[in-house]
Amino acid sequence: MVFPVLPRSQVAERDRWEESSGRSDELAWQARWFSGELGRQFTSTDGRSVEIVQFGHWNRGAGPDFTEAAVRIDGTLMTGDIEMDLEATGWESHGHSTNPSFGGVVLHVHLHRPADGTWFTRTADHRQVTQVELDPSLADGRPPWWGRLPEARLGRCAAPLRDFSTERLNTLLSSAAQYRLQRKAERWGALARSHSTSQALFCGCAEALGYRHNKLPMFSLAQRLPVDTVLSRHPAPIIEALCFGIAGYLEAEHFDRSKAETRGYLKDLWDHWWKFRIVHELTEGRRPPWNPGAGRPANHPQRRLAALALLAGQWRGFMNPLMTQTSLGKGWWREFQRQCAGLEHPFWSYHYTLRSAPTRKSMALLGSDRILDLLGNVLFPHLIQEGATTWESYTDLPGTTESGSLRRALLRLFGPDLAANKIRSTTGKYYQQQGLLQVFQDFCLRDHSECEECPFPEQLRQWS
Ligand code: SF4
């Protein structure tokens, strides 16, 4: 099917107009889209009706431009992400068509299609994505205010929450955090019953190290490495070789593209790996689906894997003191923090990836936020369930730096004025942040009506 396109003379005029008005900037278009200035009702390039039910969140990190959006296409509600490109071909040239992070995109918004009017947007798993082509003239001459637009919209619940006292807010977040903790304990408990406690915690730690974009690959890798039967039998260098070999990072392509210094490191790993390869190597389709391009370089999955290998190499040293005591002291977790922060590696303390040049200064393999997540997401849920530590001890954990989800939750529930003491004093601890994330997960991420049908505001009013 050939779609109508602007005649060549109008294309030139459009380009001149965009250039002169400075409107070709993708960020400015994103801001207009997110503000609703461009409208909610569109017709897709193949003639279907498209209604934006929910604009979602304006992503600041890697991945699609808008996440957690809701779109009604010819009457069918679809939830997922929205990507915006100035040129439709940007989808391909930016690598979205092969990037699994873009697999959840439900709408591709762009301004210009190729001259013959045909363009197909497809995801890595070959799903066709509905396209909307914006009319550049939709943007009138309003000032470029987009730099001030927050990444998430203020929610309907902000009004009742504003009337909550600090104590009531803390009680709310505390209840949500306890529920979240219980859910995590149940998850690790189920895994422990199927395998072993040690294996459940190892998988949990691997997942926590995967952070946002590599949780599943790290978790599946840990499942391939039974901590009781494989890891406990081998010294640390073999464990590291197993981790990198199973991950698929000891293939010839990584060696061939590496610098001389890295080749020495890979060769050391290979000298161990070849002996285990026949038993442990995964075929290409079964390897963990790494997401290397998402996130900061320090969070590259290869560094995360190195951290997991180090942890696995000292697993008993880390875990035995925690697993064997029936009652841990109040600040037991500080020793765990200290041990994790002290992890060093001759190669990975100085490299972001296998291909990067060495850094001059050593870098921590596990930052404070990751260590807090190992504690808060894995160890505390398990140890509280076992009665070895307490909720009171958990509430001592300091908060992490603001993640994307946490920032969005704060913006939606409390708005951009986060300097308010009431909010700061009720979201600074780990448990409070977890409570907030639980509300965000239970209500914001389930809502596809731009707050309209969310029951949380009414629940808050009843609770008041
Ligand atoms: S979806 Fe619900 S909880 Fe989230 S911001 Fe809207 S009203 Fe608040």
Side-chain angles (χ1 to χ4, degrees), residues 6-278:
L6 287 174
R8 200 170 279 277
S9 59
Q10 285 185 29
V11 169
E13 194 182 320
R14 175 197 67 194
D15 290 348
R16 269 199 308 279
W17 175 82
E18 284 186 3
E19 216 170 286
S20 64
S21 59
R23 284 181 178 274
S24 56
D25 185 283
E26 196 167 303
L27 267 181
W29 276 99
Q30 287 180 14
R32 285 189 186 90
W33 171 265
F34 191 56
S35 71
E37 177 187 325
L38 304 178
R40 282 175 177 266
Q41 309 285 347
F42 302 92
T43 302
S44 69
T45 52
D46 57 359
R48 289 178 292 159
S49 70
V50 176
E51 180 197 353
I52 310 303
V53 180
Q54 180 170 284
F55 284 94
H57 300 114
W58 192 2
N59 189 7
R60 285 191 185 181
D65 295 320
F66 303 97
T67 58
E68 293 102 23
V71 182
R72 193 170 281 118
I73 299 173
D74 258 359
T76 304
L77 186 69
M78 301 183 72
T79 57
D81 306 326
I82 297 177
E83 175 65 9
M84 178 179 272
D85 290 305
L86 294 182
E87 304 291 335
T89 51
W91 179 271
E92 207 70 38
S93 59
H94 301 158
H96 304 336
S97 60
T98 52
N99 186 342
S101 300
F102 287 75
V105 171
V106 291
L107 191 68
H108 184 206
V109 181
H110 50 74
L111 276 89
H112 315 134
R113 269 179 288 165
D116 68 358
T118 54
W119 177 257
F120 298 98
T121 301
R122 63 174 179 88
T123 59
D125 54 4
H126 307 294
R127 179 176 56 79
Q128 191 172 346
V129 179
T130 303
Q131 301 169 53
V132 159
E133 186 168 70
L134 296 176
D135 175 357
S137 67
L138 282 171
D140 57 22
R142 276 177 254 172
W145 37 256
W146 50 268
R148 300 197 298 274
L149 205 64
E151 65 185 293
R153 290 156 179 252
L154 185 64
R156 211 159 56 82
C157 59
L161 278 173
R162 211 171 293 134
D163 297 332
F164 269 46
S165 65
T166 307
E167 292 70 34
R168 180 168 283 175
L169 203 50
N170 195 41
T171 308
L172 171 78
L173 295 180
S174 197
S175 310
Q178 287 186 30
Y179 172 73
R180 191 173 176 85
L181 196 68
Q182 179 64 27
R183 296 284 303 272
K184 284 177 182 162
E186 283 165 10
R187 186 173 169 218
W188 304 136
L191 200 58
R193 285 191 292 283
S194 306
H195 300 277
S196 71
T197 299
S198 189
Q199 182 63 22
L201 297 182
F202 184 58
C203 287
C205 288
E207 186 179 86
L209 289 179
Y211 191 36
R212 241 171 79 208
H213 303 289
N214 287 288
K215 277 181 171 185
L216 175 65
M218 289 290 276
F219 186 85
S220 67
L221 183 126
Q223 286 180 304
R224 302 276 184 188
L225 281 171
V227 88
D228 303 312
T229 53
V230 178
L231 297 189
S232 63
R233 290 194 194 144
H234 298 296
I238 293 180
I239 291 174
E240 189 173 339
L242 284 170
C243 287
F244 277 84
I246 293 171
Y249 288 135
L250 297 185
E251 295 300 301
E253 56 174 301
H254 294 287
F255 187 84
D256 293 345
R257 289 196 210 145
S258 301
K259 296 180 175 33
E261 171 211 16
T262 305
R263 287 184 178 189
Y265 167 63
L266 288 175
K267 188 177 171 311
D268 288 345
L269 292 179
W270 177 261
D271 285 345
H272 295 298
W273 170 240
W274 72 265
K275 298 172 205 159
F276 297 90
R277 196 178 169 200
I278 188 96

Side-chain angles (χ1 to χ4, degrees), residues 8 23 46 57 69 91 107 351 361-362 371 393 396 447:
R8 200 170 279 277
R23 284 181 178 274
D46 57 359
H57 300 114
W91 179 271
L107 191 68
H351 288 83
K361 279 189 181 168
S362 141
I371 301 172
S393 192
D396 284 343
D447 174 67

Side-chain angles (χ1 to χ4, degrees), residues 155-157 412 443-444 447 451 454 456-457:
R156 211 159 56 82
C157 59
R412 296 215 61 182
F443 294 96
C444 299
D447 174 67
C451 296
C454 174
F456 191 52

Side-chain angles (χ1 to χ4, degrees), residues 54 57 153-161 408-409 411-414 439-458 460:
Q54 180 170 284
H57 300 114
R153 290 156 179 252
L154 185 64
R156 211 159 56 82
C157 59
L161 278 173
R408 287 167 194 172
L411 282 168
R412 296 215 61 182
L413 272 62
F414 302 108
V439 172
F440 186 67
Q441 183 182 315
D442 283 351
F443 294 96
C444 299
L445 295 186
R446 285 189 190 165
D447 174 67
H448 307 304
S449 67
E450 206 84 289
C451 296
E452 205 55 39
E453 293 163 17
C454 174
F456 191 52
E458 282 67 41
L460 288 174

